[in-house]
Amino acid sequence: MHEPQALAAFAALAQEHRLRLVRSLVTAGPDGMASGVLAEAVGVSAAIVSHHLKELSHAGLVASRREGRSIIYSAAYPVLSDLIAFLMRDCCQGRPEVCAPAMAALATCCPPNGETAHA
């Protein structure tokens, strides 16, 4: 990811409802959620959710697909991963202990071998 893409992603996430939408979609997994369900989850109207999803889509953070009459939105995991990698790329500078907390946090939510993490 290059700096302009990261800036666009961070700008899109720098709004309360958009951040909640992305977090809801990340939690929903690859199956995603319909916009009406997202509106309820975030606590805003369908029109407001539509506006925010458009902004998130332009930033590449969410994807959409049609299923019958519904549009299902899902997190764009590769882009979110690239954004995290962009932030962490130069983290350690030869000192792995600097990145250890971030790596530990990721390891607890994303364990290897497809196992589910337990809080």
Side-chain angles (χ1 to χ4, degrees):
M1 176 172 285
H2 299 289
E3 191 171 290
Q5 296 165 307
L7 287 169
F10 285 122
L13 291 170
Q15 200 284 338
E16 175 184 7
H17 296 126
R18 290 183 203 149
L19 183 59
R20 287 182 185 170
L21 286 167
V22 169
R23 292 187 77 195
S24 293
L25 289 172
V26 166
T27 302
D31 292 339
M33 299 170 77
S35 60
V37 176
L38 278 167
E40 287 181 29
V42 176
V44 297
S45 71
I48 290 174
V49 163
S50 177
H51 165 74
H52 289 308
L53 288 169
K54 180 183 75 164
E55 295 298 318
L56 291 166
S57 180
H58 284 305
L61 298 170
V62 299
S64 63
R65 68 184 183 281
R66 183 168 291 283
E67 285 187 7
R69 292 181 156 190
S70 298
I71 297 177
I72 306 299
Y73 293 89
S74 57
Y77 292 101
V79 176
L80 292 169
S81 295
D82 286 349
L83 187 59
I84 292 167
F86 174 84
L87 283 176
M88 302 301 292
R89 184 177 303 135
D90 301 317
C91 172
C92 298
Q93 297 294 314
R95 296 179 50 213
E97 72 277 4
V98 173
C99 294
M103 299 305 291
L106 286 173
T108 60
C109 74
C110 305
N113 304 331
E115 301 169 12
T116 56
H118 300 286

